[in-house]
Amino acid sequence: MDNSRKDKMIAIGSDHGGYELKQAIMKHLEERNLAYKDYGCYNEASVDYPEYGKIVANAVADGTCDRGILICGTGIGISITANKVKGIRAALCTDCFMAEATRQHNDANILALGGRVVGVGLALKIVDTFLDTEFSDEERHIRRINMIEE
Ligand code: RB5
């Protein structure tokens, strides 16, 4: 599904462990009138999370999308995969403090969630916090982010 109504594009993807939460997040993004591209998976059949981690990470890294949201059972495997792609800073968050801090300090460009870890209500608040928080732009944070890529 391609729900592209606004200029800021969000790439979203999951494996089967994150499928149900992905559906809830896409509904939430639609309610907020935020544009997204759904990179799968498209049902609850068992799939391999690296496939979806890579496709979403590449969409963010090559500029097709501005931000990404990735979900697997724990959020761990899919975030490890995404972080292998140059330019990607995927942050696995289990609360809003982490989502806010990773935007402000790490300029994280992908949010990773565990569909078997966080409930839907909390997950949607984490998504909102991640999408609505800007990078601090402070010199020390820019320096540290640059050091990641060195
Ligand atoms: C799939 O069962 C599960 O391993 C996956 O969703 C994820 O939790 C991996 O890190």
Side-chain angles (χ1 to χ4, degrees):
M1 182 183 186
D2 183 351
N3 172 44
S4 34
R5 284 181 296 230
K6 271 201 168 177
D7 14 32
K8 248 205 167 130
M9 184 61 69
I10 300 160
I12 188 164
S14 77
D15 73 352
H16 54 288
Y19 175 78
E20 198 179 332
L21 181 54
K22 177 163 72 69
Q23 300 307 111
I25 292 172
M26 290 192 302
K27 182 167 174 276
H28 182 68
L29 296 176
E30 284 170 30
E31 285 164 3
R32 285 196 52 182
N33 200 29
L34 295 174
Y36 67 86
K37 284 182 201 282
D38 178 10
Y39 286 91
C41 62
Y42 301 109
N43 57 52
E44 284 177 305
S46 182
V47 290
D48 300 324
Y49 62 80
E51 184 179 334
Y52 301 92
K54 281 180 192 170
I55 195 169
V56 165
N58 286 328
V60 174
D62 72 15
T64 303
C65 295
D66 304 284
R67 299 268 178 90
I69 300 173
L70 283 170
I71 315 135
C72 66
T74 58
I76 297 171
I78 211 155
S79 58
I80 291 173
T81 307
N83 278 317
K84 296 279 183 190
V85 175
K86 191 170 169 52
I88 291 303
R89 293 177 299 281
L92 172 57
C93 297
T94 53
D95 61 41
C96 294
F97 177 83
M98 295 171 81
E100 184 179 58
T102 198
R103 285 290 311 127
Q104 290 174 337
H105 293 201
N106 316 122
D107 197 15
N109 45 18
I110 293 184
L111 168 67
L113 293 165
R116 297 170 182 158
V117 179
V118 288
V120 178
L122 175 57
L124 299 183
K125 288 249 180 232
I126 294 172
V127 166
D128 285 343
T129 304
F130 183 81
L131 295 177
D132 296 342
T133 304
E134 293 302 321
F135 177 49
S136 69
D137 227 11
E138 287 171 30
E139 189 280 330
R140 71 182 191 284
H141 293 310
I142 294 169
R143 183 181 71 244
R144 290 164 189 166
I145 289 166
N146 288 336
M147 288 170 72
I148 297 172
E149 296 285 350
E150 281 166 9

